[in-house]
């Protein structure tokens, strides 16, 4: 039996006209949720009309057609595939229905609808194949369309709840494996300059993961379909729903813009979406970068919720004994308890103490743990008070440095940043929050680039690479590694200041931060030096590193072996954090050779002496500050090693000068001089 040509024409007109109405309405209001609902209804209308034509007058007992996947959820994006399930009671109906199922599918394809049909018996739906998780997951969203309603009820009301209860742990485990593998393909970060709205961490696929995990967990507990499948606390649920709605609008926009299932948010698409104020019609957006910050804030929220459920649901299913053992874990202490690598507060009210709050993040940075959903909610509750009475001064600096020194510092910083804590204690970082700086070299936003750079240094000791081992040895030799990490944290902060060279802007913000953190003078000079010169060795790599003039210029710039080590490691981390392929073996070898050549140059110049009659800006400044006069200062400095003024701060040099003057005035010295 074939569909009548007149019906095919009618359906083609019905769909094309309906699709245009969906497109026009979206162009007016930018409501992605409405657009996908309307397309779902339009496709369903076409399918039901075709079903009635092909199966009209025939007994369809033993066959059901159901919507699954995105179609079943009622979220058909403009160019998404249409997932259909032809459900048969048993194999006896195969010959009876095979021809009409093929005809049905072909008619839909002729309408240029991208249909992905599956034909299964009821018994086949009762099996979980770890290698075909997608089919089992698609059944979570199954929805009756037409045919044998009793057969569908047997699937939906009886078979699926039993399957999910029986196989829930295997399904969740496999879902977690596939999700983490997908996240790893994108560097486990939300912050890509041109993200995939569907597949990048924090994208719409993660929205689906949250829905599926919540549903499976609720069915596991209730042994039936729940009325409300959400596991999220009300505030988190609201935030998550808003994020998913925003992402839905963006994906609809991309589909209509490209005319195909293309989900990459390119720079051109970002500009167009920002011009439309897509998803944020009431927001005051000054630029595309502002719109992208909103995108990243939503994606970050979705990503964190996904990761938390992937950790917390298996933890909730673990045995009582296992939970008891985790609570007694050796890493737990008087303030924090650990269950399945999730941190809980023993006394949540004590979190109002800024010292305890920062100790929490030191704890997770040291042990590589994650905050539980409950703990994150408790942290958010104390943040408003922290804004008014935020920590500062030397105590804050010491605690921040201790976090930066821990092996999992980058993950702790990301958690602090996601919750809004990092920009409270380090407001200098607020301008680079989710900041996109467009070029074809960087892959990540500025803040994520910073965290990734810090992480690369901490991961050096784990690497088997020949080059990484060299740099790891260099890191172990540092006298004050925390100064390096602090410099990396601030080195690109100036990129968020419009109309200013980013190095100069970063230097100004670094100066403000170090003042607020009550840094000591030598630390200030070192951190400021690193921020001011963080591009210096990269620039040298673009020249002939074996040219003595290149090496001499680099040695003159760094001045001391310790600063050279710091700057070399900073350059390594900065380049490697640009994108996964930025630090090639060739570039790593050249950086190392530049380091070795500059070290040799500094060692050979160790005996070079200061001459106070030379034109030197530092000498002139010291002369103006010296209480004992320029001539006496010149006498003190004459003949000292050239590196003296590079190793010691101006304040140190003046103190040494004053001590030398006092020593000259003592009786013993006068007698020795006679």
């Amino acid at each position: 039996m074939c569909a009548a040509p007149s019906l095919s024409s009618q359906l083609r007109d019905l769909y094309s006209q309906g699709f245009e109405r969906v497109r026009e309405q979206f162009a007016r209001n930018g409501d992605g949720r409405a657009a996908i609902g309307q397309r779902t209804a339009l496709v369903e209308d076409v399918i039901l009309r075709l079903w009635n034509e092909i199966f009209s007058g025939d007994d369809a007992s033993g066959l059901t057609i159901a919507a699954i996947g995105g179609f079943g959820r009622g979220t058909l994006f403009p160019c998404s595939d249409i997932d259909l399930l032809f459900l048969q009671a048993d194999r006896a109906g195969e010959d009876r229905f095979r021809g009409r199922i093929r005809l049905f599918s072909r008619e839909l394809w002729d309408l240029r609808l991208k249909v992905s049909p599956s034909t299964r018996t009821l018994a086949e739906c009762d099996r979980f194949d770890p290698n075909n998780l997608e089919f089992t997951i698609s059944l979570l969203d199954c929805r009756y369309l037409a045919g044998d309603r009793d057969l569908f009820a047997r699937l939906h009301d009886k078979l699926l709840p039993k399957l999910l209860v029986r196989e829930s742990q295997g399904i969740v485990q496999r879902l977690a494996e596939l999700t983490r593998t997908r996240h790893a393909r994108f560097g486990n970060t939300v912050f890509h300059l041109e993200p995939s709205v569907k597949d990048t961490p924090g994208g719409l696929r993660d929205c689906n993961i949250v829905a599926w995990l919540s549903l499976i967990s609720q069915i596991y507990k209730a042994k039936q379909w729940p009325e409300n499948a959400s596991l999220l606390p009300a505030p988190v649920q609201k935030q998550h729903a808003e994020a998913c709605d925003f992402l839905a609008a963006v994906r609809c926009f991309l589909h209509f813009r490209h005319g195909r299932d293309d989900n990459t948010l390119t720079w051109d698409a970002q500009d167009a979406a920002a011009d439309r104020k897509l998803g944020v019609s009431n927001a005051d957006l000054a630029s595309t970068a502002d719109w992208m910050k909103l995108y990243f804030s939503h994606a970050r929220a979705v990503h964190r919720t996904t990761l938390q459920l992937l950790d917390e649901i298996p933890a909730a299913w673990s045995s009582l004994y296992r939970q008891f053992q985790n609570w007694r874990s050796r890493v737990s202490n008087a303030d924090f308890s650990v269950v399945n690598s999730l941190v809980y507060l023993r006394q949540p009210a004590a979190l109002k103490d800024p010292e305890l709050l920062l100790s929490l993040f030191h704890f997770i940075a040291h042990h590589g743990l994650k905050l539980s959903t409950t703990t994150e909610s408790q942290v958010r509750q104390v943040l408003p008070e922290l804004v008014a009475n935020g920590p500062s001064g030397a105590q804050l600096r010491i605690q921040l440095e201790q976090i930066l020194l821990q092996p999992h510092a980058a993950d702790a910083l990301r958690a602090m940043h996601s919750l809004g804590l990092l920009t409270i204690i380090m407001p200098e970082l607020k301008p680079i929050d989710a900041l996109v700086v467009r070029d074809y070299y960087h892959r990540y936003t500025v803040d994520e680039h910073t965290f990734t750079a810090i992480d690369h240094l901490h991961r050096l000791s784990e690497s088997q690479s020949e080059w990484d081992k060299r740099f790891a040895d260099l890191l172990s030799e540092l006298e004050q590694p925390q100064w390096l990490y602090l410099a990396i944290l601030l080195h690109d902060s100036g990129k968020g200041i419009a109309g200013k060279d980013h190095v100069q802007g970063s230097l100004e913000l670094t100066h403000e931060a170090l003042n607020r953190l009550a840094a000591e003078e030598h630390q200030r000079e070192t951190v400021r030096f690193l921020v001011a010169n963080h591009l210096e060795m990269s620039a040298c790599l673009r020249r002939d590193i074996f040219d003595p003039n290149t090496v001499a210029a680099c040695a003159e710039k760094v001045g001391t072996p310790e600063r050279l080590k710091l700057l070399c490691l900073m350059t390594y981390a900065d380049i490697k954090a640009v994108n996964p392929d930025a630090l090639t073996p060739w570039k790593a070898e050249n950086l190392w050779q530049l380091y070795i050549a500059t070290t040799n140059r500094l060692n050979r110049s160790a005996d070079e002496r200061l001459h106070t009659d030379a034109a030197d800006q530092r000498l002139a400044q010291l002369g103006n500050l010296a209480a004992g006069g320029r001539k006496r200062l010149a006498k003190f400095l004459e003949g000292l090693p050239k590196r003296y003024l590079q190793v010691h701060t101006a304040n140190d040099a003046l103190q040494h000068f004053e001590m030398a003057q006092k020593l000259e005035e003592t009786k013993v010295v006068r007698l020795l001089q006679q």
Side-chain angles (χ1 to χ4, degrees):
M1 179 179 182
C2 295
S6 60
L7 178 63
S8 297
S9 177
Q10 290 172 15
L11 292 180
R12 188 173 293 106
D13 292 342
L14 172 69
Y15 182 76
S16 61
Q17 292 169 13
F19 188 82
E20 282 306 309
R21 285 195 297 271
V22 175
R23 184 201 299 272
E24 290 168 3
Q25 186 167 337
F26 179 79
R28 288 194 301 270
N29 60 26
D31 188 339
R33 189 62 62 184
I36 58 181
Q38 290 161 3
R39 188 189 179 225
T40 300
L42 175 62
V43 170
E44 186 171 337
D45 188 14
V46 170
I47 287 174
L48 292 179
R49 288 173 185 248
L50 188 60
W51 176 274
N52 290 333
E53 177 68 20
I54 292 178
F55 290 90
S56 176
D58 292 305
D59 179 15
S61 176
L63 178 67
T64 290
I65 183 172
I68 58 176
F71 188 22
R73 289 191 299 276
T75 58
L76 265 184
F77 286 88
C79 299
S80 292
D81 289 0
I82 301 163
D83 295 319
L84 294 175
L85 172 65
F86 292 96
L87 179 67
Q88 299 177 137
D90 50 43
R91 289 293 180 191
E94 281 188 350
D95 292 338
R96 181 180 165 202
F97 297 118
R98 182 182 292 114
R100 280 174 288 176
I101 290 174
R102 287 178 178 173
L103 173 62
F104 189 93
S105 300
R106 187 168 63 247
E107 288 294 326
L108 290 175
W109 290 327
D110 287 345
L111 294 173
R112 297 187 177 180
L113 296 178
K114 294 193 297 180
V115 181
S116 298
S118 301
T119 303
R120 296 286 193 282
T121 64
L122 198 62
E124 288 173 330
C125 293
D126 195 26
R127 302 170 191 160
F128 168 55
D129 180 3
N131 296 317
N132 189 16
L133 174 69
E134 186 176 356
F135 177 71
T136 301
I137 288 295
S138 71
L139 293 179
L140 290 174
D141 300 307
C142 66
R143 182 167 54 86
Y144 174 80
L145 292 176
D148 190 331
R149 190 177 289 274
D150 290 338
L151 177 60
F152 179 80
R154 288 166 62 190
L155 170 71
H156 184 272
D157 300 340
K158 297 180 180 179
L159 185 150
L160 284 179
K162 290 180 180 179
L163 171 68
L164 293 170
V165 170
R166 185 178 73 242
E167 303 288 354
S168 57
Q169 297 197 31
I171 293 172
V172 169
Q173 180 180 351
R174 185 64 178 144
L175 191 60
E177 290 172 356
L178 293 176
T179 300
R180 291 189 169 109
T181 298
R182 172 171 55 84
H183 287 175
R185 289 204 314 269
F186 293 95
N188 293 307
T189 181
V190 167
F191 300 98
H192 293 265
L193 301 190
E194 293 183 297
S196 166
V197 176
K198 180 181 178 182
D199 292 323
T200 301
L204 282 162
R205 194 176 290 278
D206 277 358
C207 290
N208 296 337
I209 297 293
V210 170
W212 294 331
L213 288 172
S214 297
L215 182 59
I216 294 169
S217 180
Q218 296 286 53
I219 291 175
Y220 178 80
K221 295 174 185 176
K223 310 296 187 286
Q224 62 183 3
W225 293 97
E227 292 183 8
N228 178 17
S230 179
L231 291 176
L232 307 177
V236 178
Q237 185 175 349
K238 181 176 182 295
Q239 180 188 43
H240 182 74
E242 290 174 351
C244 292
D245 286 348
F246 178 88
L247 294 171
V250 176
R251 190 180 182 198
C252 283
F253 169 76
L254 293 174
H255 281 204
F256 283 130
R257 177 181 174 84
H258 298 136
R260 61 183 185 276
D261 187 8
D262 185 338
N263 304 295
T264 303
L265 191 53
T266 62
W267 290 338
D268 289 343
Q270 291 169 25
D271 289 336
D275 287 343
R276 284 192 56 178
K277 295 189 176 182
L278 185 67
V280 286
S281 57
N282 296 325
D284 182 17
L285 300 178
S287 65
T288 300
D290 290 339
W291 185 85
M292 283 302 296
K293 285 186 178 184
L294 293 172
Y295 168 85
F296 285 124
S297 69
H298 286 306
R300 179 164 51 193
V302 170
H303 185 221
R304 288 196 66 78
T305 301
T306 304
L307 295 181
Q308 285 170 334
L309 290 186
L310 286 172
D311 288 329
E312 292 187 6
I313 288 176
W317 290 348
S318 62
S319 68
L320 189 62
Y321 174 78
R322 184 181 174 195
Q323 289 195 37
F324 176 75
Q325 291 292 69
N326 274 298
W327 279 93
R328 297 285 301 248
S329 170
R330 63 184 179 84
V331 300
S332 297
N333 59 30
D335 297 316
F336 314 120
S337 296
V338 180
V339 181
N340 286 43
S341 299
L342 299 173
V343 181
Y344 295 82
L345 298 169
R346 292 191 184 277
Q347 297 179 343
L351 202 59
K352 293 182 179 180
D353 179 2
E355 186 173 345
L356 178 64
L357 180 60
L358 290 174
S359 296
L360 170 63
F361 290 94
H362 179 277
F363 186 72
I364 67 174
H366 181 71
H367 295 292
L369 304 169
K370 299 177 182 177
L371 299 178
S372 67
T373 307
T374 303
T375 306
E376 281 202 356
S377 179
Q378 291 163 341
V379 170
R380 285 192 176 96
Q381 290 174 14
V382 303
L383 289 184
E385 186 173 334
L386 197 66
V387 172
N389 302 292
S392 61
Q395 186 60 39
L396 171 59
R397 186 191 77 247
I398 292 169
Q399 287 191 280
L400 178 61
E401 288 175 348
Q402 288 304 308
I403 292 172
L404 290 170
L405 286 171
Q406 302 312 309
H408 304 281
D411 289 334
L413 291 170
R414 289 184 181 103
M416 294 167 70
H417 198 35
S418 177
L419 293 168
L421 173 61
L422 186 60
T423 52
I424 291 175
I425 64 173
M426 291 291 287
E428 295 78 14
L429 300 179
K430 193 169 183 59
I432 62 169
D433 181 10
L435 178 64
V436 172
V437 176
R438 296 184 173 185
D439 61 40
Y440 289 99
Y441 195 47
H442 286 78
R443 175 175 292 187
Y444 311 120
T445 56
V446 179
D447 50 354
E448 180 60 21
H449 164 80
T450 299
F451 303 145
T452 301
I454 291 172
D455 196 44
H456 281 317
L457 287 184
H458 281 296
R459 301 283 79 79
L460 274 173
S461 60
E462 303 170 5
S463 176
Q464 298 302 311
S465 161
E466 177 186 350
W467 295 278
D468 285 353
K469 288 179 180 178
R470 295 174 182 175
F471 291 108
D473 290 341
L474 204 60
L475 182 62
S476 68
E477 296 172 5
L478 293 183
E479 298 173 5
Q480 301 288 350
Q482 66 270 29
W483 296 359
L484 171 61
Y485 291 118
L486 185 58
I488 294 176
L489 189 63
L490 291 162
H491 81 287
D492 274 347
S493 55
K495 286 187 175 180
I497 303 176
K500 179 170 286 192
D501 172 70
H502 96 268
V503 174
Q504 184 58 37
S506 299
L507 203 52
E508 292 174 5
L509 290 172
T510 298
H511 180 72
E512 294 175 11
L514 294 174
N515 282 343
R516 191 168 43 77
L517 296 172
E520 296 177 355
E521 186 175 354
H522 193 36
Q523 179 180 12
R524 293 185 193 212
E525 289 205 2
T526 301
V527 173
R528 283 173 56 82
F529 166 82
L530 291 173
V531 172
N533 295 284
H534 72 269
L535 299 176
E536 184 64 29
M537 291 188 79
S538 294
C540 288
L541 293 179
R542 292 192 288 270
R543 300 193 287 270
D544 181 1
I545 62 168
F546 299 104
D547 182 347
N549 293 326
T550 301
V551 176
C554 185
E556 183 69 23
K557 180 70 72 172
V558 296
T560 71
E562 184 67 13
R563 281 190 172 184
L564 176 60
K565 292 176 184 178
L566 290 165
L567 191 59
C568 179
L569 287 165
M570 190 171 191
T571 305
Y572 163 91
D574 194 21
I575 295 175
K576 194 166 185 179
V578 167
N579 65 62
D581 303 317
L583 189 67
T584 62
W586 175 82
K587 190 172 289 186
E589 177 66 20
N590 278 357
L591 178 60
W592 184 256
Q593 291 300 328
L594 176 62
Y595 166 74
I596 293 297
T598 308
T599 298
N600 292 336
R601 171 79 184 188
L602 289 173
N603 289 337
R604 286 196 302 271
S605 64
D607 292 331
E608 292 184 15
R609 301 294 165 173
L610 277 172
H611 297 292
T612 53
D613 57 350
D616 186 289
Q617 185 178 1
R618 189 81 180 275
L619 287 171
Q621 290 174 345
L622 283 173
N624 292 332
L625 296 172
R630 293 188 183 186
K631 289 184 178 180
R632 298 187 71 179
L633 175 66
K635 181 181 178 183
F636 166 71
L637 293 174
E638 182 68 30
L640 287 176
K642 238 184 180 181
R643 285 192 290 150
Y644 173 81
L645 292 181
Q646 294 166 331
V647 173
H648 297 287
T649 66
N651 188 52
D652 287 342
L654 291 174
Q655 287 182 350
H656 297 165
F657 172 52
E658 291 174 4
M659 291 171 61
Q661 283 187 301
K662 290 178 181 177
L663 191 61
E664 285 185 2
E665 295 170 358
T666 62
K667 186 175 181 180
V668 173
V669 171
R670 288 199 301 270
L671 288 172
L672 289 173
Q673 291 175 342
Q674 291 177 356

